[in-house]
């Protein structure tokens, strides 16, 4: 099945684990894909990982800077021949610390990437899509739907993504632009290794076991689990879905 033949897809955080897996899934279904990330080296490595699935365009940009965002959107649209689907995926975890010990600089840095970056992505993707419509998927987290000690910058930023998603969905509807958010449980990736080590540097493996034990299905999400949901929301199968929050959490928030 090729749901995305000739669809033009842009993915931020494209060199990360979820970005690469999502790109692979889109490529396998016939899409043309552009990856956006801060590091040219990481993007080159991502493109190499994807060689068996297809060729991707790559763009180096800082998602917190409007000039960069405007430029990569324009250049990706020129390279691909438009933008049909935008995956607003770039994000960082920040440092783990209680609120009373959190540095303002860490809070601001996480909010800049995870909230301001999503806003700027929406702003310029919607400008590219307004004449023919499209689908946008914003990456949030179960952290956008609950609290968690030690992660207030991340938690706050992922809650913000929900408000951005709902507002963008309302504003985008008249242009045929659908906007939804995805909320994974912990994903087996570099980000979770960082959080586990931040919680307890001497016992990160035990932290992982404790986190996994809170998930009814008994394991972290795989990147494929998240990519499957992203592709569904970007597809015509979800043509009547907008402004919604979709869990990929193994039942974590069911209780």
């Amino acid at each position: 099945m090729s749901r995305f033949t000739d669809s033009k897809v842009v993915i931020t955080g494209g060199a990360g684990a979820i970005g690469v897996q999502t790109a692979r899934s889109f490529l396998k279904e016939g899409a043309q894909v552009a990856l956006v990330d801060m590091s040219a080296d990481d993007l080159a490595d991502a493109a190499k990982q994807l060689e068996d699935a297809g060729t991707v365009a790559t763009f180096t940009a800082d998602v917190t800077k409007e000039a960069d965002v405007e430029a990569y959107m324009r250049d990706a649209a020129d390279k691909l021949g438009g933008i049909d689907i935008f995956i607003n995926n770039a994000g960082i975890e920040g440092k783990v610390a209680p609120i009373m010990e959190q540095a303002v600089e860490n809070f601001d840095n996480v909010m800049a990437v995870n909230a301001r970056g999503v806003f700027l992505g929406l702003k310029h993707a919607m400008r590219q899509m307004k004449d023919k419509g499209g689908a946008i998927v914003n990456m949030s987290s179960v952290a956008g739907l609950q609290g968690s000690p030690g992660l207030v910058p991340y938690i706050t930023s992922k809650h913000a993504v929900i408000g951005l998603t709902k507002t963008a969905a309302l504003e985008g509807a008249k242009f045929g632009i659908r906007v939804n958010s995805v909320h994974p449980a912990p994903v087996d990736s570099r980000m979770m290794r960082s959080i586990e080590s931040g919680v307890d540097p001497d016992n990160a493996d035990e932290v992982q076991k404790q986190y996994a034990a809170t998930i009814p299905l008994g394991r972290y999400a795989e990147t494929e689990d998240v990519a499957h949901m992203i592709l569904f929301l970007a597809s015509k199968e979800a043509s009547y879905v907008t402004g919604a929050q979709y869990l990929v959490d193994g039942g974590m928030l069911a209780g």
Side-chain angles (χ1 to χ4, degrees):
M1 181 174 63
S2 297
R3 292 176 291 178
F4 300 101
T5 300
D6 294 328
S7 292
K8 285 75 172 176
V9 182
V10 176
I11 304 171
T12 65
I18 292 174
V20 170
Q21 182 58 53
T22 301
R24 179 180 299 281
S25 298
F26 273 119
L27 288 167
K28 286 183 177 179
E29 293 206 34
Q32 299 177 51
V33 177
L35 302 181
V36 180
D37 217 304
M38 285 193 69
S39 167
D41 289 343
D42 289 347
L43 282 169
D45 182 63
K48 187 172 182 60
Q49 292 179 56
L50 292 166
E51 283 179 345
D52 62 324
T55 301
V56 295
T58 59
F59 298 92
T60 304
D62 182 340
V63 299
T64 72
K65 296 179 179 178
E66 185 162 23
D68 281 20
V69 176
E70 187 172 15
Y72 83 66
M73 286 290 185
R74 181 189 62 243
D75 294 346
D78 289 346
K79 178 75 172 180
L80 300 177
I83 299 173
D84 301 307
I85 297 164
F86 175 53
I87 311 303
N88 216 354
N89 172 63
I92 59 173
E93 68 276 14
K95 297 178 181 177
V96 179
I99 291 173
M100 290 186 290
E101 299 172 17
Q102 276 284 353
V104 172
E105 294 78 9
N106 182 52
F107 185 90
D108 288 347
N109 190 37
V110 173
M111 290 297 291
V113 177
N114 295 3
R116 176 186 170 95
V118 170
F119 157 69
L120 289 173
L122 287 167
K123 177 179 179 178
H124 291 283
M126 291 172 76
R127 286 182 172 182
Q128 289 288 340
M129 294 177 173
K130 64 183 177 64
D131 291 334
K132 63 174 184 175
I136 297 174
V137 180
N138 293 327
M139 183 57 61
S140 184
S141 166
V142 291
L145 296 163
Q146 64 175 10
S148 184
L151 289 169
V152 72
Y154 187 74
I155 295 287
T156 304
S157 70
K158 293 304 185 179
H159 275 71
V161 171
I162 295 176
L164 287 161
T165 298
K166 290 183 175 182
T167 303
L170 293 172
E171 293 184 6
K174 66 181 178 182
F175 300 108
I177 301 171
R178 297 185 300 102
V179 188
N180 294 286
S181 57
V182 172
H183 299 256
V187 177
D188 193 11
S189 66
R190 180 215 60 81
M191 182 179 284
M192 282 310 302
R193 300 295 89 79
S194 172
I195 291 173
E196 292 154 5
S197 295
V199 171
D200 189 342
D202 296 325
N203 296 286
D205 289 345
E206 185 60 32
V207 173
Q208 181 177 351
K209 292 178 184 177
Q210 291 172 3
Y211 279 173
T214 68
I215 302 170
L217 289 185
R219 64 172 178 86
Y220 280 10
E222 300 292 341
T223 55
E224 292 91 338
D225 297 320
V226 183
H228 291 326
M229 180 61 76
I230 291 171
L231 265 69
F232 164 69
L233 291 171
S235 75
K236 292 180 180 178
E237 296 163 16
S239 62
Y240 200 60
V241 178
T242 194
Q245 288 67 60
Y246 274 77
L247 286 166
V248 187
D249 73 340
M252 187 176 179
L253 298 191

